[in-house]
Amino acid sequence: AQKVTQAQTEISVVEKEDVTLDCVYETRDTTYYLFWYKQPPSGELVFLIRRNSFDEQNEISGRYSWNFQKSTSSFNFTITASQVVDSAVYFCALSEGRVSGGYNKLIFGAGTRLAVHP
Amino acid sequence: NAGVMQNPRHLVRRRGQEARLRCSPMKGHSHVYWYRQLPEEGLKFMVYLQKENIIDESGMPKERFSAEFPKEGPSILRIQQVVRGDSAAYFCASSLVTGPEAFFGQGTRLTVV
């Protein structure tokens, strides 16, 4: 069965601190995709990143970085020098991708609420 | 190049009424997914549709909920005889035939009073 666990329910940091959001997943498939989404207080879902199971390279985008480790089934997300605007709920999600059909039902974790204080 | 459009953004219904949520996928996308987010929870998959076909409705409640994606027009999620427990944010996502990308709409927030 597929499952995504975000063990941290809430994290509170002070601006400029680095913060890491954990994500652990379970799947039997060898081909799958991992996602992170941000949900700010306004409620929409903002796509942050997608990784496929064959690409374990870490990724950096500005202050954001992602560490994908198949050995531990983890896909952690780090925000460097956090800012108040980073305050949001962050969701990790898993999709067992299929080459044809594009069927990509997402399994979401419960989310981590990040509060960045000035 | 409009994104996934959902309307209405906010919907208030009295218990027992029907709620109709609409989702227009991105241009060229023929796959639509509906997710429900209960208060303080993550998103849960409800149903996956292609044009005129329901492919996977494993996440849909057995009663009162239905979904369609007609040949023309938006996808509709219909909730009959709403109850307070149906109050949630309902998100629609769409994707291309072959891509694993899923682009989300801004959601419809249903409040049942």
Side-chain angles (χ1 to χ4, degrees):
Chain A
Q2 316 104 49
K3 187 178 177 183
V4 176
T5 301
Q6 294 180 256
Q8 304 149 308
T9 307
E10 292 189 33
I11 300 176
S12 182
V13 299
V14 177
E15 227 178 356
K16 297 184 184 176
E17 280 186 35
D18 298 347
V19 58
T20 295
L21 283 61
D22 298 332
C23 174
V24 174
Y25 62 92
E26 294 176 30
T27 178
R28 292 183 189 154
D29 274 18
T30 55
T31 301
Y32 54 89
Y33 298 86
L34 296 163
F35 301 76
W36 275 95
Y37 287 87
K38 174 182 179 180
Q39 188 174 43
S42 50
E44 74 272 23
L45 279 172
V46 178
F47 168 80
L48 296 178
I49 190 172
R50 180 202 78 188
R51 303 297 279 175
N52 73 54
S53 51
F54 299 108
D55 183 1
E56 286 191 72
Q57 268 196 323
N58 291 331
E59 177 137 349
I60 298 174
S61 175
R63 296 183 299 105
Y64 295 171
S65 63
W66 290 269
N67 181 265
F68 176 28
Q69 293 198 341
K70 285 178 80 169
S71 60
T72 55
S73 297
S74 64
F75 186 43
N76 296 337
F77 172 33
T78 297
I79 302 175
T80 302
S82 59
Q83 301 176 0
V84 173
V85 293
D86 296 326
S87 296
V89 181
Y90 290 86
F91 291 101
C92 180
L94 164 71
S95 168
E96 290 173 344
R98 305 186 187 180
V99 175
S100 64
Y103 178 24
N104 60 329
K105 173 175 73 175
L106 293 174
I107 309 297
F108 282 84
T112 297
R113 183 178 300 277
L114 174 65
V116 182
H117 302 283
Chain B
N1 186 16
V4 179
M5 303 299 292
Q6 289 187 249
N7 66 80
R9 293 289 308 280
H10 300 275
L11 182 61
V12 179
R13 283 287 177 266
R14 295 186 184 281
R15 280 179 294 173
Q17 290 185 322
E18 179 179 282
R20 283 196 177 205
L21 288 62
R22 287 178 290 279
C23 169
S24 296
M26 287 181 70
K27 189 174 181 181
H29 287 193
S30 57
H31 298 227
V32 165
Y33 313 79
W34 285 93
Y35 294 82
R36 178 166 66 173
Q37 183 180 26
L38 294 169
E40 304 301 318
E41 292 188 16
L43 283 78
K44 296 284 196 296
F45 168 78
M46 298 181 75
V47 62
Y48 162 53
L49 309 102
Q50 296 178 17
K51 288 277 187 182
E52 300 184 281
N53 280 306
I54 297 175
I55 306 302
D56 179 356
E57 55 182 348
S58 58
M60 286 278 271
K62 297 294 181 218
E63 298 176 348
R64 303 187 297 107
F65 284 72
S66 62
E68 62 177 11
F69 188 17
K71 189 175 179 182
E72 302 290 338
S75 175
I76 306 286
L77 179 68
R78 183 185 292 113
I79 311 172
Q80 296 177 303
Q81 300 175 330
V82 295
V83 301
R84 288 243 172 92
D86 297 333
S87 295
Y90 293 83
F91 286 92
C92 166
S94 72
S95 70
L96 289 168
V97 172
T98 56
E101 309 284 358
F103 298 89
F104 281 86
Q106 293 191 299
T108 293
R109 274 141 191 90
L110 172 65
T111 302
V112 179
V113 297

